[in-house]
């Protein structure tokens, strides 16, 4: 943008009573700056601006050099002249500090300032930027990573990795803005991935967006005053044109607005979802390309805990519609059976279904081809030392023993995930069985921080108390970005066992500081 273009945008927004808050990156996401001014990095090597996303982000500003702060302050001088906003966002997220660990300038700064580690060095950097902004009469906003190493005085925390950062900051009497990726990232898919335009990943339906409460139920009453509000984000690297952008934000933006304008006790999904249909008519007249994915059918496959039977549930977001389905290749019509209860899955199955409203099909035809794998442990009792993330909880307590295998897509709703945690789980088949082999599947997708565990142990027991080691694995950890499944196998076993225990070391790398997810799927007993 030219300065005049910025001034025009700010003036127009002001006429609509909107303040524009610029985000000027202060730690990471600065490869474009480093590409132009290589002295800003630790290595000072000439780099190119990447054409797409990069992970991990290791080429970041060097806080050991005074020239880095001189550059940042010069940029902020221009920014505060152009933007009258009370707040300036300085980013602060997703900084992998590998280069800081081996940078003489950074290590000298840590020593000179009496800092403990690289996390406190980032805090030093953020606090210094915050102090500079205060000399300009402005206040700093940063993503929740600015909590690491200590929070700058008066800083506002924008909580994007769930609401935990917001809860922590509010408890410290800092203002917070709730912006969790699990609910309000509008660059996530909003319907069946195979039917949607390309998105970065994730899954956030219209109903899910509407269900968010910016004040978490677990937040103490005395801390609630620090919640300034919430923000939905739409990152556009997968949106090449305006029509794609419109599709991603509408109608979810309507849910965002109503959540922020409505007291929780006055929210009503059924009422809202019916009013959205009238908004569709307005958007049609305006020629806006909105999504109708909320009409589409979604499915959930789960083990019925009572009979250990695998079942398929079908649902969509509107109660005033009906779902009709066919098993096999036939497409549903007005004479097809109406879905009223979960469908039992006894083997490989194909389901076609459609939503009907007033006798007419609305939305697209839903098709699901289900492949069921033989597993002696299907429906076994599984207990965990660390519960999987709510974001990646496929099948919940039966997710690892439901006879379904995940693909190489981390968000296909077959995987269970743990971030930066050691995991062990126990499997109880409820009776002793003869075992000839075992398999355990992991997902590796380094671009999405999903890394392979460095150590996996599998034990067995007949009585649930005395366990013997079957095998210990030391998987090779590679640094390429290839998406793949790693399957650990134990063959030619001759065991009689009822219980298994699996211990999985977390995938984070202490040497580089890179933290990662472990994604696990089916524990197969043969």
């Amino acid at each position: 943008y030219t300065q005049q273009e910025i001034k025009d945008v700010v003036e127009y927004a002001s006429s609509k009573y909107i303040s524009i808050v610029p985000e000027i990156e202060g730690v990471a996401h600065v490869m474009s700056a480093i590409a132009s001014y290589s002295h800003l990095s630790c290595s000072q090597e000439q780099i190119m601006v990447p054409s797409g996303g990069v992970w991990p982000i290791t080429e970041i500003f060097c806080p050991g050099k005074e020239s880095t702060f001189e550059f940042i302050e010069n940029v902020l001088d221009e920014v505060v002249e152009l933007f009258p906003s009370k707040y300036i966002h300085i980013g602060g997220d997703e900084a992998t500090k590998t280069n800081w660990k081996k940078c003489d300038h950074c290590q000298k700064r840590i020593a000179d300032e009496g800092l403990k580690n690289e996390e406190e060095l980032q805090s030093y950097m953020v606090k210094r930027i915050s102090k500079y902004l205060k000399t300009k009469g402005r206040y700093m906003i940063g993503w929740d990573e600015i909590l690491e190493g200590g929070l700058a005085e008066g800083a506002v925390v924008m909580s994007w990795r769930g609401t935990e950062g917001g809860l922590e900051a509010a408890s410290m009497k800092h203002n917070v803005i709730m912006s969790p990726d699990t609910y309000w990232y509008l660059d996530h898919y909003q319907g069946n991935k195979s039917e949607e335009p390309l998105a970065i990943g994730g899954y956030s339906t219209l109903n899910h967006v509407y269900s968010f409460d910016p004040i978490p139920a677990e937040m103490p009453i005395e801390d609630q005053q620090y919640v300034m509000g919430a923000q939905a984000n739409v990152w556009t690297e997968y949106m090449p044109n305006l029509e794609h952008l419109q599709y991603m934000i509408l109608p979810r933006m309507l849910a965002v607005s109503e959540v922020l304008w409505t007291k929780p006790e006055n929210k009503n999904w059924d009422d809202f979802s019916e009013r959205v249909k009238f908004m569709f008519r307005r958007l049609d007249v305006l020629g806006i390309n909105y999504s109708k994915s909320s009409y589409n059918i979604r499915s959930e496959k789960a083990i019925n805990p009572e009979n250990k039977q695998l079942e398929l549930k079908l649902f969509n977001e509107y109660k005033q519609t009906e779902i009709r389905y066919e098993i096999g290749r036939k497409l549903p019509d007005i004479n097809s059976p109406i879905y009223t209860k979960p469908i039992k899955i006894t083997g490989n199955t194909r389901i076609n279904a459609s939503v009907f409203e007033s006798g007419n099909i609305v939305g697209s035809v839903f098709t699901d081809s289900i492949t069921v794998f033989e597993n002696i442990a299907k429906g076994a009792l599984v207990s965990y030392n660390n519960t999987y993330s709510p974001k990646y909880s496929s099948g919940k307590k039966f997710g690892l023993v439901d006879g379904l295998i995940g693909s190489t897509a981390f968000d296909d709703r077959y995987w269970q995930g743990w971030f930066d945690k050691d995991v062990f789980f126990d499997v109880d088949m409820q009776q002793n069985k003869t075992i000839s082999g075992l398999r355990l599947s992991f997902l590796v997708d380094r671009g999405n921080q999903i890394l392979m565990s460095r150590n996996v142990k599998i034990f067995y027991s007949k009585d649930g108390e005395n366990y013997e080691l079957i095998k210990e694995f030391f998987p090779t950890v590679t640094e390429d970005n290839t998406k793949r499944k790693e399957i650990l196998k134990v063959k030619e076993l001759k065991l009689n066992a009822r219980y298994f225990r699996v211990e999985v070391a977390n995938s984070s790398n202490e040497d580089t500081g890179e933290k990662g997810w472990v994604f696990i799927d089916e524990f197969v007993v043969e």
Side-chain angles (χ1 to χ4, degrees):
Y1 295 97
T2 65
Q3 287 200 3
Q4 188 56 51
E5 286 172 333
I6 292 291
K7 291 174 182 177
D8 291 343
V9 171
V10 169
E11 182 180 358
Y12 177 77
S14 179
S15 73
K16 305 295 184 182
Y17 306 99
I18 295 170
S19 295
I20 293 181
V21 178
E23 180 179 350
I24 305 300
E25 301 296 339
V27 184
H29 291 289
V30 292
M31 292 180 72
S32 54
I34 292 173
S36 298
Y37 306 100
S38 58
H39 69 276
L40 297 174
S41 71
C42 293
S43 66
Q44 302 190 72
E45 295 179 0
Q46 183 64 54
I47 65 170
M48 303 297 290
V49 180
S51 59
V54 171
W55 190 264
I57 304 171
T58 56
E59 291 292 347
I60 61 180
F61 282 149
C62 175
K65 303 174 187 174
E66 283 301 305
S67 57
T68 300
F69 291 98
E70 180 182 357
F71 173 82
I72 293 172
E73 290 170 5
N74 286 339
V75 170
L76 291 175
D77 286 345
E78 182 176 5
V79 168
V80 297
E81 283 188 22
L82 293 172
F83 294 92
S85 166
K86 178 181 178 181
Y87 300 99
I88 305 294
H89 201 310
I90 61 90
D93 62 315
E94 299 185 324
T96 300
K97 306 170 186 67
T98 309
N99 290 346
W100 290 4
K101 293 178 182 291
K102 55 188 178 184
C103 171
D104 291 340
H105 297 289
C106 290
Q107 294 305 310
K108 184 176 186 301
R109 179 79 76 183
I110 288 174
D112 291 348
E113 298 294 333
L115 307 174
K116 293 179 181 178
N117 49 36
E118 286 72 27
E119 280 66 37
E120 288 198 1
L121 179 59
Q122 175 169 319
S123 177
Y124 164 84
M125 188 176 193
V126 170
K127 288 176 179 177
R128 186 163 168 179
I129 296 171
S130 179
K131 287 179 181 177
Y132 187 77
L133 284 173
K134 282 186 178 180
T135 68
K136 304 292 182 178
R138 308 301 177 87
Y139 293 90
M140 183 191 79
I141 300 175
W143 299 110
D144 54 58
E145 284 95 333
I146 67 172
L147 284 157
E148 298 169 5
L151 197 54
E153 182 182 353
V156 178
V157 172
M158 187 169 280
S159 187
W160 76 276
R161 295 178 299 179
T163 58
E164 291 80 6
L167 287 164
E168 181 180 350
S171 71
M172 300 163 64
K173 299 184 175 7
H174 279 256
N175 285 338
V176 302
I177 301 165
M178 294 298 190
S179 186
D181 60 336
T182 46
Y183 285 90
W184 278 19
Y185 268 41
L186 304 188
D187 55 340
H188 288 180
Y189 287 101
Q190 55 194 311
N192 298 321
K193 190 173 182 179
S194 61
E195 302 170 2
E196 294 288 307
L198 181 63
I200 193 170
Y203 188 65
S204 189
T205 66
L206 180 64
N207 181 279
H208 188 62
V209 171
Y210 189 81
S211 70
F212 177 60
D213 186 346
I215 299 179
E218 63 269 35
M219 178 175 279
I221 293 175
E222 62 269 20
D223 293 346
Q224 295 178 7
Q225 61 183 307
Y226 298 108
V227 179
M228 299 173 67
Q231 173 176 296
N233 295 317
V234 53
W235 311 107
T236 58
E237 63 262 51
Y238 288 87
M239 302 173 203
N241 52 52
L242 178 62
E243 289 72 23
H244 194 156
L245 173 64
Q246 291 172 341
Y247 183 92
M248 299 302 288
I249 65 175
L250 288 166
R252 291 188 288 188
M253 189 171 72
L254 306 177
V256 168
S257 300
E258 182 150 318
V259 167
L260 292 176
W261 293 338
T262 308
K263 292 182 178 181
E265 61 268 25
N266 293 334
K267 285 172 59 180
N268 185 309
W269 164 255
D270 291 340
D271 179 64
F272 170 78
S273 61
E274 286 302 303
R275 286 186 283 111
V276 164
K277 295 177 184 178
F278 289 95
M279 284 301 301
F280 287 167
R281 299 178 191 176
R282 292 187 176 190
L283 297 174
D284 285 333
V285 171
L286 293 170
I288 292 175
N289 182 41
Y290 61 93
S291 170
K292 292 184 179 179
S293 300
S294 52
Y295 275 116
N296 291 349
I297 295 170
R298 298 192 301 280
S299 66
E300 180 180 289
K301 306 174 191 73
I303 295 287
N304 185 320
E306 295 181 1
N307 58 20
K308 304 300 175 66
Q309 174 70 54
L310 180 63
E311 296 179 341
L312 174 70
K313 296 179 182 179
L314 302 177
F315 53 93
N316 80 326
E317 298 192 308
Y318 295 111
K319 286 186 177 180
Q320 290 78 6
T321 58
E322 63 185 19
I323 296 174
R324 293 179 179 269
Y325 71 96
E326 294 284 352
I327 297 176
R329 295 195 170 275
K330 182 182 177 182
L331 297 179
D333 56 32
I334 194 62
N335 298 312
S336 299
I338 297 176
Y339 173 84
T340 57
K341 61 182 180 180
I343 301 167
K344 293 181 180 179
I345 305 298
T346 56
N348 295 347
T349 307
R350 179 187 175 95
I351 301 284
N352 292 319
S354 292
V355 174
F356 285 75
E357 187 174 50
S358 302
N360 298 312
I361 292 179
V362 288
S364 59
V365 176
F366 167 86
T367 298
D368 195 356
S369 295
I370 304 164
T371 301
V372 181
F373 290 80
E374 290 298 322
N375 186 358
I376 293 175
K378 188 171 77 170
L381 301 178
V382 181
S383 57
Y384 305 83
N385 72 318
N386 280 317
T387 307
Y388 37 74
S389 165
K391 292 176 13 179
Y392 306 108
S393 59
S394 172
K396 298 185 179 177
K397 64 180 181 179
F398 293 111
L400 299 181
V401 288
D402 58 7
L404 302 170
I405 303 290
S407 68
T408 55
F410 73 91
D411 54 354
D412 67 2
R413 292 181 287 164
Y414 286 104
W415 295 96
Q416 293 186 342
W418 293 260
F419 185 75
D420 193 29
K421 290 181 179 179
D422 293 335
V423 181
F424 74 77
F425 59 88
D426 290 337
V427 178
D428 177 5
M429 298 190 298
Q430 298 181 282
Q431 59 179 302
N432 283 303
K433 297 181 180 181
T434 302
I435 309 303
S436 61
L438 300 169
R439 287 187 289 128
L440 183 62
S441 300
F442 292 80
L443 179 64
V444 179
D445 182 355
R446 194 163 182 262
N448 285 300
Q449 287 182 274
I450 304 169
L451 310 176
M452 187 62 198
S453 168
R454 288 165 168 74
N455 182 254
V456 179
K457 299 176 183 178
I458 302 178
F459 303 82
Y460 83 99
S461 172
K462 294 182 179 181
D463 58 13
E465 294 183 4
N466 301 296
Y467 282 86
E468 293 185 34
L469 180 67
I470 297 175
K471 188 167 184 178
E472 182 173 9
F473 297 87
F474 299 95
T476 301
V477 179
T478 59
E479 295 189 353
D480 65 83
N481 287 327
T482 304
K483 296 179 183 180
R484 63 185 185 278
K485 290 197 292 185
E486 292 278 354
I487 302 176
L488 305 183
K489 298 179 181 180
V490 182
K491 297 181 179 180
E492 299 179 357
L493 282 175
K494 293 181 180 179
L495 292 178
N496 188 264
R498 169 177 171 175
Y499 303 91
F500 294 94
R501 174 167 293 169
V502 180
E503 297 182 358
V504 180
N506 75 70
S507 62
S508 300
N509 189 329
E510 292 183 2
D511 295 332
T512 64
E514 183 179 7
K515 295 182 178 181
W517 290 87
V518 166
F519 268 46
I520 306 174
D521 188 25
E522 196 77 352
F523 178 69
V524 178
V525 180
E526 299 171 336

